Amino acid sequence: MKKSTSTCDRTGLIDLYFLEHRAKLIDIGAFLDRLNRADAPGNPEDFRIKAFQKASAILTDESPDKAKRILEVFSDHTPDLADSAPLSKGAAGAAQEEVK
Amino acid sequence: MKFIDPHIHPSSRTTDDYERMALSGCVAITEPAFWAGFDRDSARGFYDYFRQLTEYEPRRAGQYGIKHYTWICINPKEADDPQFAREVMAIFSEFLDKPNVLGIGEIGLNKNTKNELTILEEQIELAAQYNQMILVHTPHLEDKLKGTRLIMDALENNGKIDPQRVMIDHAEEHTVGEILDRGFWAGLTIYPNTKCTPQRAADILEIHGTERIWVNSAADWGPSDPLAVPKCGVELKRRGHSDELVTKVIFDNPQTFLSQNERFTL
Ligand SMILES: [Zn+2]
């Protein structure tokens, strides 16, 4: 399979993308602050936020394939199939199963 | 920047979008049959939709010099009602012979249910019987990984499907490698929030190479961008990739895949 890499070096890539992703990181911080201000004490954490926290840890680990591994955290890994779909038919962005 | 958008739903967009696409270099599109955002009340609703895809849209696109091709199917969302789905499948034969129809699509799964899978298998068998190419919709978000594997299993289990004539669309970082390894084509959909950005599509092309991959907008009635394909081209150029590589991704590859049906000409 023919593969190719960007002709930009590491500094070139940082020059291209740093500000955009700096802004995204601040957005995530502000989102978590917003959730904290709205805390409902005693309620179990929402399954989506549990997955979000697990996925966030991938950002700072030492391993590659971060995008792929984050997508896998948000994926349904159950083997079973339901007979039919619920009326809403939508996807939530994270699986309902307990995040381990 | 000459390009083909091989997966877009212009029947749910304005004519202004055709003009903007033409101005940006679009020469052809293919429009798979899909969900309208609500469940249709009868199979007759699909009859009218298929007429729109085979009669009306080619004329509307043609006014801007864009060639319009389409794919016929019952989409995975409405396939969850098997009896209804079979009523719709009964009218396919009337449309598969139309001059702009390239195959069966976009079939696949939505919530990975047994009902959806049953109708998927029946539509795969129909494609085999009529020797049709297949365009696959993979599920959204948390359902994508499991659904993509179920779909590839169903295609392989049929035994009569050539993977080179199957495009598995809406691939992302966690599914693209397996799709290519199993011999299928992979589609990268550039769509806000729920699918790839132009940057991530460019990353995937750098990691997995440019063989058997296309990019598309899947622009429809939701927040989406009919200019997503040329924007991916710009992203590749911004990183210093050659004009040849950009042309291969946004023009040559879709042309190669689609030309397996001799109806596809430019
Ligand atoms: Zn679509």
Side-chain angles (χ1 to χ4, degrees):
Chain A
M1 185 182 294
K2 183 167 170 283
K3 294 185 187 180
S4 72
T5 44
S6 157
T7 59
C8 301
D9 60 12
R10 190 176 167 90
T11 305
L13 290 173
I14 295 167
D15 289 344
L16 261 185
Y17 297 113
F18 176 73
L19 281 180
E20 179 187 342
H21 294 91
R22 175 186 181 276
K24 286 181 180 173
L25 195 58
I26 296 167
D27 271 345
I28 291 170
F31 170 54
L32 296 175
D33 287 343
R34 207 174 303 143
L35 291 184
N36 283 337
R37 291 201 308 278
D39 249 349
N43 285 358
E45 185 58 284
D46 187 284
F47 70 98
R48 292 166 293 186
I49 296 305
K50 279 191 197 168
F52 194 94
Q53 286 161 344
K54 191 178 176 199
S56 302
I58 291 173
L59 297 175
T60 51
D61 72 20
E62 301 290 319
S63 303
D65 297 327
K66 293 184 188 299
K68 178 177 189 239
R69 289 188 291 127
I70 288 170
L71 283 161
E72 284 166 355
V73 166
F74 287 122
S75 294
D76 173 18
H77 295 278
T78 60
D80 304 330
L81 306 186
D83 289 332
S84 65
L87 275 180
S88 69
K89 298 184 179 182
Q96 280 277 7
E97 63 179 326
E98 192 60 37
V99 175
K100 289 161 202 98
Chain B
M1 202 182 283
K2 189 164 77 163
F3 74 95
I4 296 167
D5 191 340
H7 184 154
I8 182 169
H9 300 284
S11 61
S12 49
R13 304 207 54 105
T14 65
T15 303
D16 292 343
D17 286 339
Y18 275 130
E19 184 182 28
R20 288 164 61 222
M21 292 176 78
L23 287 168
S24 307
C26 182
V27 294
I29 56 134
T30 93
E31 177 168 14
F34 86 139
W35 191 52
F38 60 95
D39 291 350
R40 292 160 179 99
D41 190 52
S42 73
R44 206 65 201 167
F46 279 88
Y47 185 88
D48 290 339
Y49 178 47
F50 295 157
R51 280 192 54 219
Q52 182 181 20
L53 294 178
T54 54
E55 295 172 22
Y56 180 71
E57 282 303 323
R59 284 202 296 275
R60 202 160 74 109
Q63 288 170 351
Y64 294 90
I66 296 174
K67 286 207 151 189
H68 179 285
Y69 294 91
T70 192
W71 307 71
I72 297 297
C73 82
I74 170 90
N75 63 81
K77 271 201 169 96
E78 283 163 290
D80 198 47
D81 178 347
Q83 193 186 338
F84 180 75
R86 287 179 190 122
E87 281 175 38
V88 177
M89 289 162 68
I91 59 176
F92 284 5
S93 58
E94 198 173 325
F95 291 94
L96 289 175
D97 287 335
K98 300 281 184 186
N100 72 329
V101 174
L102 298 180
I104 304 278
E106 54 185 300
I107 57 172
L109 297 171
N110 175 51
K111 290 304 293 177
N112 302 330
T113 70
K114 289 178 187 166
N115 281 343
E116 293 170 12
L117 190 57
T118 299
I119 295 302
L120 171 66
E121 288 165 349
E122 290 180 21
Q123 293 196 93
I124 292 171
E125 177 56 29
L126 215 89
Q129 281 172 16
Y130 287 91
N131 194 29
Q132 295 285 324
M133 298 210 299
I134 293 176
L135 178 53
V136 168
H137 163 96
T138 54
H140 304 286
L141 302 170
E142 72 269 25
D143 300 312
K144 185 179 297 294
L145 181 62
K146 176 172 164 178
T148 302
R149 287 176 176 157
L150 286 166
I151 292 165
M152 291 192 288
D153 291 345
L155 287 159
E156 288 167 0
N157 291 341
N158 178 279
K160 300 183 287 277
I161 300 294
D162 175 3
Q164 302 266 353
R165 297 180 76 225
V166 179
M167 169 58 66
I168 302 197
D169 223 325
H170 314 323
E172 291 182 71
E173 288 87 343
H174 57 329
T175 57
V176 65
E178 196 170 326
I179 293 169
L180 294 171
D181 287 347
R182 290 169 78 159
F184 299 100
W185 280 69
L188 306 176
T189 299
I190 297 164
Y191 196 97
N193 296 335
T194 55
K195 299 187 180 78
C196 273
T197 58
Q199 288 90 337
R200 282 173 53 207
D203 292 333
I204 291 171
L205 291 160
E206 288 175 353
I207 294 166
H208 292 276
T210 56
E211 297 302 322
R212 279 189 286 122
I213 295 191
W214 77 21
V215 295
N216 62 79
S217 71
D220 56 12
W221 36 261
S224 47
D225 184 359
L227 299 184
V229 173
K231 282 180 183 172
C232 182
V234 169
E235 175 63 23
L236 288 164
K237 291 210 61 152
R238 202 155 84 110
R239 297 185 188 186
H241 290 292
S242 66
D243 288 340
E244 290 72 36
L245 182 136
V246 173
T247 301
K248 176 165 174 52
V249 170
I250 68 174
F251 182 80
D252 297 344
N253 281 1
Q255 184 184 34
T256 299
F257 178 79
L258 298 166
S259 296
Q260 295 182 87
N261 186 322
E262 62 196 19
R263 282 184 193 152
F264 185 84
T265 55
L266 292 174

